[in-house]
Amino acid sequence: MLEIEYDIDELTTLMYVKEEHHFCFENKHWITAVELNIGDKILARSGAVASIIAVTKVDIRHPDALLVSKLKDVKLSHNHHFFVTKNPNSALDVSCEQAPNDPLELIPYELANKPSYLPSGEPTGHHSGPWVAAGYINELGEQIVGWGRADDEKCAEDAAIIDLKSKVEDAAKLNQTNVTISHAYIRKYSKRGRLINKMSPCTHCRDNYGNALNDKTVGDSNLVKTGRDFLKTK
């Protein structure tokens, strides 16, 4: 077993993997854990890049008290599931679709990709999301972005627009021609593992947001929610 220390998104943490576990280099080449060196960069499922700080071989057959404590930490013992891997052999070790290149799309994708585990380390089976982001460029050329998650009162599109309106000085200026609304992203578990799916907006969101939506298809929904919002056509 290897203890790998790495930093990612300004966070320094650990993960534990077998020596033969595959990671994906930043240049998209495969490498096994035992071949990693300090300074190597590997890809996370979200598209982020992690830098290797240290690789230490540990004996889990006769672990000391500190190692036992680390291995009992659910977060540390499951961190390797967040990285792109090869030939997955568990429900969580799945190769991830390429993260979106569009910065606006990447926000809800990464929010949906955040893990959800029970204290035992088992996946909850519950999806995360759907999440949506909405962007607006003001008169100064600055992009303002709002985002949100669906709940019992509102769709994710509504949540994103409500958040965006709270961040701009004059929400009355927002309309379907100057606001862009991302696809909706949702995480769920299946027999294939943890997946990030896109969801089309429902008929109600189509009526309220029209051409501001990136997704031009329409999902099926007969739910009328109390937290609905809207954008002017122009």
Side-chain angles (χ1 to χ4, degrees):
M1 180 73 73
L2 297 176
E3 177 186 272
I4 299 177
E5 183 178 8
Y6 64 97
D7 60 49
I8 184 170
D9 295 332
E10 300 181 353
L11 171 71
T12 298
T13 186
L14 301 171
M15 61 179 159
Y16 293 88
V17 296
K18 295 180 179 179
E19 295 183 3
E20 63 271 20
H21 185 89
H22 280 89
F23 290 102
C24 185
F25 258 164
E26 188 178 16
N27 62 7
K28 304 300 177 67
H29 291 161
W30 294 109
I31 188 172
T32 58
V34 73
E35 296 174 307
L36 287 173
N37 294 305
I38 295 173
D40 283 347
K41 298 185 184 300
I42 56 176
L43 288 177
R45 289 174 39 131
S46 66
V49 176
S51 181
I52 304 301
I53 297 175
V55 179
T56 306
K57 189 170 184 177
V58 295
D59 186 354
I60 60 174
R61 296 171 300 176
H62 307 287
D64 58 27
L66 179 58
L67 180 58
V68 170
S69 175
K70 290 179 180 178
L71 292 174
K72 286 184 176 180
D73 187 314
V74 171
K75 180 180 178 182
L76 296 183
S77 61
H78 287 79
N79 274 347
H80 65 282
H81 295 310
F82 306 144
F83 289 87
V84 177
T85 190
K86 183 179 182 182
N87 298 326
N89 54 22
S90 79
L92 288 175
D93 285 337
V94 294
S95 296
C96 184
E97 309 90 350
Q98 185 65 37
N101 293 321
D102 186 320
L104 187 67
E105 295 283 319
L106 188 59
I107 292 172
Y109 177 92
E110 290 187 332
L111 288 168
N113 197 35
K114 289 185 176 179
S116 177
Y117 297 116
L118 296 172
S120 65
E122 293 296 316
T124 63
H126 297 156
H127 62 254
S128 174
W131 289 89
V132 165
Y136 164 70
I137 299 178
N138 63 20
E139 295 84 352
L140 300 176
E142 303 167 329
Q143 185 178 48
I144 303 170
V145 178
W147 58 84
R149 177 184 175 182
D151 57 29
D152 291 339
E153 296 182 351
K154 53 188 175 294
C155 287
E157 289 83 359
D158 297 310
I161 290 296
I162 291 170
D163 187 49
L164 178 62
K165 287 182 174 180
S166 72
K167 295 176 178 178
V168 299
E169 291 184 3
D170 186 1
K173 293 182 178 180
L174 302 178
N175 61 67
Q176 292 184 18
T177 65
N178 59 23
V179 170
T180 301
I181 301 175
S182 75
H183 288 81
Y185 292 90
I186 185 170
R187 186 193 74 245
K188 66 178 183 178
Y189 292 100
S190 73
K191 292 181 179 179
R192 294 172 53 198
R194 192 177 77 182
L195 306 172
I196 306 298
N197 284 359
K198 291 181 181 178
M199 292 184 65
S200 299
C202 69
T203 53
H204 300 284
C205 289
R206 169 60 59 196
D207 291 339
N208 289 344
Y209 302 118
N211 63 349
L213 294 163
N214 270 2
D215 194 335
K216 303 305 179 185
T217 58
V218 181
D220 295 324
S221 174
N222 294 319
L223 295 177
V224 177
K225 297 184 176 183
T226 59
R228 295 222 170 266
D229 209 282
F230 68 93
L231 283 176
K232 297 179 296 183
T233 56
K234 59 180 179 178

